[in-house]
Structures are given as structure tokens and as C-alpha cells.
Amino acid sequence: MALQFTEREFIPVLLGGDINAYSVARAFYEEYQVKSLVFGKYQTGPAYRSQIIDYTPNVDIDTMPVMLKTVNGIAQAHADKTIVLVGCGDNYVALVAQAKDAHELADNIVAPYAPYSMLEQCQKKEIFYELCEKHGVPYPHTFTFTKAMLNAQGEAPAEVLDQIDFPYPMILKPSDGIMWWQHEFEGQKKAYEIADRAELEQVIRDSYASGYTDDLILQDRVPGNDEYMRVLTSYSDRNGKVRMMCLGHVLLEEHQPHGVGNHACIITEPNDELMGGVRKLLEDLNFVGYSNFDVKYDERDGSFKFFDFNTRQGRSNYYVTNSGFNVAKYVVDEYVFDRPFEPEFVTAQDEALWMVVPMGVVDKYVKDPELRAKVHRLDKEGKGADPSFMKGDFVFNRWLRMWHTKLRHFKLFKTYYK
């Protein structure tokens, strides 16, 4: 199938190069047959060598001067079009929001983001949990460790750690994910399952010795495997009204150190009660744009505990598009065409399958036989999608790399999924 492209009133400009960026570009193509201009750091990732993308690598694209020069240059070269600017990672969203607040973006650029001060606060996990407390949204029992708690030797004092009143194993993760990856150290992970006091002390020591200065979040570990996880994606309009919510039941997550928590298999399913409290939270904040939440069912009390507030579409955002709610269309309808939302609020009700792993990984590592059967059924019914493989977007070298990445999950799950 030959791909067809159409000239439109707008040009999508995406910052990133990973599966997040490719999924958004795919949504733009499937809805409007437009090619996205994508700027990432390296010549790698699903966006690189895709036919639906003009990809430009620039190792400094995540710095403000280079980002501004790039996107404003495009805007000036296409003054007759609207530039739809989308960040596909926390660091890119932060840059765009800061530039938007400072009125440094060209007049024909639209960027669907709340003020940076709001994004920064929402992404800090301890602030998010305060919002949860206020709005009755369940979250795991949490202890916040600050750098100020360290003793003169740069270690966590016993009298501080003795205050933690939930058992091992516990979860440890950084409050500021952007700063976290700016200060790498040996053994660094996206999140930790801490087995004992000695490991807790070591991770705290290594974290702050690396130059990281923000808080560390220690949490009660909600029991259960990946099949207890959920992911919620929401779109809020420029007036802070939630217009769409799509809930996914996560069956598998990645477990390698730098990918812990990245989704690997999702089935869309509704849960109005779970979504209701978060909708109120978002509207009370007057939040704008896409938001994404990681959630886990806690069988101890029958509640769904919220972990994170990501102020953007998630890296697995194509599960939303594949469920019938194209993530590009919401932005274009509002910011380019100024169309009313009809209906005013909608939630995904129909089952759909999103997966980046081979079916053999699902068969081996999804424990619930009913969920495994559902994956096979949705796949046979044509309701499944791997975001990296779009029909017609075929370049042999890219196809080979994407299959290598997909098949590599056999080894990764065997090594890391316990």
C-alpha cells in the first residue's frame, strides 16, 4: 500500500524520537494524511526512517536556544500555516511550556499546555499526592525523603528511616524524573523495589552523591503483578474542562532498569468510578492538555491507587488512538479548527488491544488465562495494534530494527520479570 499525503492548514512538529513521538505522528497521519516534522536527539527510535515523518536528529534539541531556533524557524518558513507543537517527553513539554509562558514562540505556533508552574507542581509526586488527598483520590502510603534529611556524611540517619511505617519490600522513585536522568550513576533505575534497610540506605546515598537534589518518594508496595496495573489518559481543553478519558488495563510492563513501568500490553476497559475523582481533580486545577496516570488495583482494600501524574500523553498513547479516540484530532479540532466538542465528554467503552511484545511473551508471562484468551480474541478480531508498525510505513532497515526491538523482549522478560 502506497502512502498518500495531503496538504493541510497545519504542520505537526513533534519533539522526541521514541515510541511516544512515532505514535503521535501515526495519529496525525491516520486522521489527516499529513507528514510530521520530528526532532529527536539521535538517529534511532521508531520515528527515525519512518515514511510518515521527516526526522531530524540534533543532540541539543532539548535545550531552549536550539528548540526555539528550530520551531520558530519552521513557523517563519510556513507563515501561512498553523504549527502544532507537541512535546513527546517530560523535558520537551517543560521547554515548550516555558517558551509559551515567556511568549517566545512564533504567533502561528499552538502548544496545548498549561502554564509551566502548574506542570512542574503536578509532576512532583509529593504535590500530586497532596492533590489526591484533597480530592479523595486513593494513593499508596508515602514517605518523602528530602536531601535536607541527610547527615554530614551524606547518609540517611537511622532516626529518619525509623519513621517509615510500612514494610519491605517498598518502592523508591525520584520526585523529579527530569533531574533524575540528568545525574546518572551506576545501577540507576527508573524505580526501585527496595528489599531491605541496607539497600534503602545505599540507594539514597548513591542518589544524592550523583548530584540529584530533589526529593525521593518511598512508598508502600501495592501487592500484585503487572495485571493489577491500569493506565488512564485524559484530554482537557484550553478552559480546563475534561473532554475525553481512556482507561487501559495493563497486562504487562517492562522490567529492565531504564524501562521499569513502561507498558508492554494494554487492553482498553471502562471504569467510571475510577475516572470520576480524577476528572474532578483536573477540572478544579483548570489543567490544560493531555494527562496520563499510572494506577494499581489494591486487593487489600479494593481501591485503585494512583502513582504518578504525567502532564502529557504517555509513551503508550497509541492505545488511546486505537480505541477510537485519535490523540491528534483533539488538539487539531480545538486549536486549529476551533470546533466544539461533540459529545462534550466521552470515555472509551469498547475493548481494544495495544502491545509491543510478541504474542509468545503474552502467553508465557500473563498469568490470568482469561486475560490471555482476551488478548488472542481481540487480535483475531483485528482490534489489536503494535504502535511501531503502521501498514504502508515500510522501510526495510527500520522494519528490521523494530522487529529486533520487539523480539528482544523474550530475553528482557526472561532476565528481569520475576
Side-chain angles (χ1 to χ4, degrees):
M1 182 189 77
L3 297 179
Q4 302 293 321
F5 294 96
T6 304
E7 188 82 6
R8 295 284 183 174
E9 305 92 327
F10 62 91
I11 298 173
V13 176
L14 315 181
L15 302 177
D18 65 357
I19 198 169
N20 189 328
Y22 183 81
S23 297
V24 175
R26 180 172 174 178
F28 272 107
Y29 178 80
E30 290 179 345
E31 187 68 30
Y32 303 106
Q33 290 72 57
V34 295
K35 183 173 285 193
S36 296
L37 305 184
V38 179
F39 297 86
K41 289 175 73 70
Y42 307 111
Q43 293 180 327
T44 187
Y48 178 54
R49 288 187 171 172
S50 164
Q51 292 186 92
I52 63 170
I53 287 168
D54 279 335
Y55 184 80
T56 303
N58 188 326
V59 72
D60 295 318
I61 191 62
D62 59 350
T63 64
M64 185 65 80
V66 173
M67 187 278 290
L68 285 174
K69 181 180 179 181
T70 300
V71 300
N72 284 336
I74 294 168
Q76 291 160 11
H78 301 278
D80 59 330
K81 294 184 183 293
T82 299
I83 306 303
V84 181
L85 181 59
V86 179
C88 300
D90 292 331
N91 53 340
Y92 295 117
V93 170
L95 284 177
V96 173
Q98 289 171 343
K100 181 180 178 181
D101 290 353
H103 305 288
E104 294 180 311
L105 298 175
D107 291 342
N108 59 325
I109 295 177
V110 296
Y113 298 110
Y116 174 70
S117 57
M118 178 183 290
L119 301 185
E120 186 180 36
Q121 291 299 303
C122 291
Q123 286 190 111
K124 286 186 176 294
K125 293 175 177 60
E126 62 271 38
I127 303 296
F128 172 52
Y129 298 139
E130 290 177 11
L131 294 171
C132 288
E133 193 74 38
K134 177 181 177 182
H135 294 279
V137 175
Y139 64 96
H141 194 185
T142 298
F143 181 90
T144 301
F145 189 95
T146 69
K147 187 179 180 182
M149 294 176 178
L150 295 173
N151 61 23
Q153 289 73 45
E155 297 179 340
E159 59 268 25
V160 173
L161 298 186
D162 287 344
Q163 299 174 36
I164 302 171
D165 58 357
F166 41 85
Y168 297 97
M170 66 179 64
I171 303 300
L172 182 150
K173 51 193 174 183
S175 176
D176 188 332
I178 297 176
M179 184 192 295
W180 181 250
W181 293 118
Q182 290 171 344
H183 299 279
E184 295 191 23
F185 57 88
E186 186 176 354
Q188 187 181 33
K189 298 179 182 180
K190 184 178 177 182
Y192 295 80
E193 185 172 303
I194 303 294
D196 52 36
R197 179 72 162 259
E199 184 182 7
L200 178 60
E201 293 173 348
Q202 183 68 52
V203 174
I204 291 174
R205 185 163 53 246
D206 291 346
S207 299
Y208 289 111
S210 74
Y212 177 78
T213 60
D214 213 314
D215 299 345
L216 295 174
I217 305 300
L218 312 180
Q219 283 185 331
D220 179 29
R221 179 187 177 276
V222 178
N225 61 18
D226 292 354
E227 294 156 53
Y228 287 71
M229 293 298 299
R230 304 294 190 275
V231 55
L232 175 63
T233 300
S234 175
Y235 181 79
S236 301
D237 68 18
R238 69 183 100 196
N239 298 313
K241 292 294 182 183
V242 176
R243 298 301 187 174
M244 180 276 294
M245 284 184 147
C246 182
L247 180 68
H249 184 165
V250 179
L251 307 190
L252 287 175
E253 294 182 330
E254 297 180 19
H255 290 265
Q256 62 270 30
H258 278 239
V260 172
N262 289 343
H263 303 134
C265 182
I266 300 170
I267 293 177
T268 305
E269 65 176 26
N271 186 321
D272 292 339
E273 182 179 353
L274 182 156
M275 293 185 278
V278 180
R279 182 183 178 187
K280 187 175 186 304
L281 183 155
L282 289 167
E283 292 188 344
D284 283 357
L285 282 172
N286 282 319
F287 185 82
V288 174
Y290 277 104
S291 52
N292 177 261
F293 302 87
D294 291 317
V295 190
K296 191 172 186 179
Y297 176 70
D298 190 342
E299 61 185 359
R300 296 172 299 184
D301 60 8
S303 69
F304 286 92
K305 301 283 174 51
F306 280 71
F307 291 163
D308 303 296
F309 184 162
N310 298 306
T311 57
R312 53 170 171 77
Q313 76 285 349
R315 72 190 305 276
S316 58
N317 67 81
Y318 194 77
Y319 92 88
V320 182
T321 298
N322 191 50
S323 301
F325 302 90
N326 187 290
V327 297
K329 188 175 188 298
Y330 279 89
V331 175
V332 171
D333 275 357
E334 180 173 19
Y335 289 90
V336 178
F337 298 134
D338 199 25
R339 290 173 178 157
F341 290 92
E342 296 178 354
E344 291 188 355
F345 173 70
V346 65
T347 60
Q349 297 293 315
D350 298 332
E351 290 179 336
L353 170 67
W354 175 101
M355 57 192 289
V356 296
V357 295
M359 190 64 77
V361 170
V362 171
D363 288 337
K364 185 169 183 177
Y365 294 100
V366 173
K367 307 302 182 186
D368 187 330
E370 291 185 8
L371 291 176
R372 289 199 306 270
K374 188 178 289 188
V375 171
H376 281 273
R377 175 177 61 79
L378 291 171
D379 185 55
K380 288 178 181 177
E381 291 174 355
K383 297 178 180 178
D386 183 322
S388 297
F389 295 90
M390 192 192 86
K391 189 175 182 180
D393 187 12
F394 180 81
V395 174
F396 181 73
N397 286 342
R398 179 187 179 277
W399 180 87
L400 206 59
R401 282 190 301 107
M402 293 302 98
W403 265 106
H404 178 267
T405 299
K406 185 166 185 167
L407 293 174
R408 188 166 173 259
H409 284 291
F410 281 109
K411 180 179 180 180
L412 291 174
F413 272 82
K414 182 178 181 180
T415 303
Y416 296 105
Y417 193 29
K418 308 301 181 185

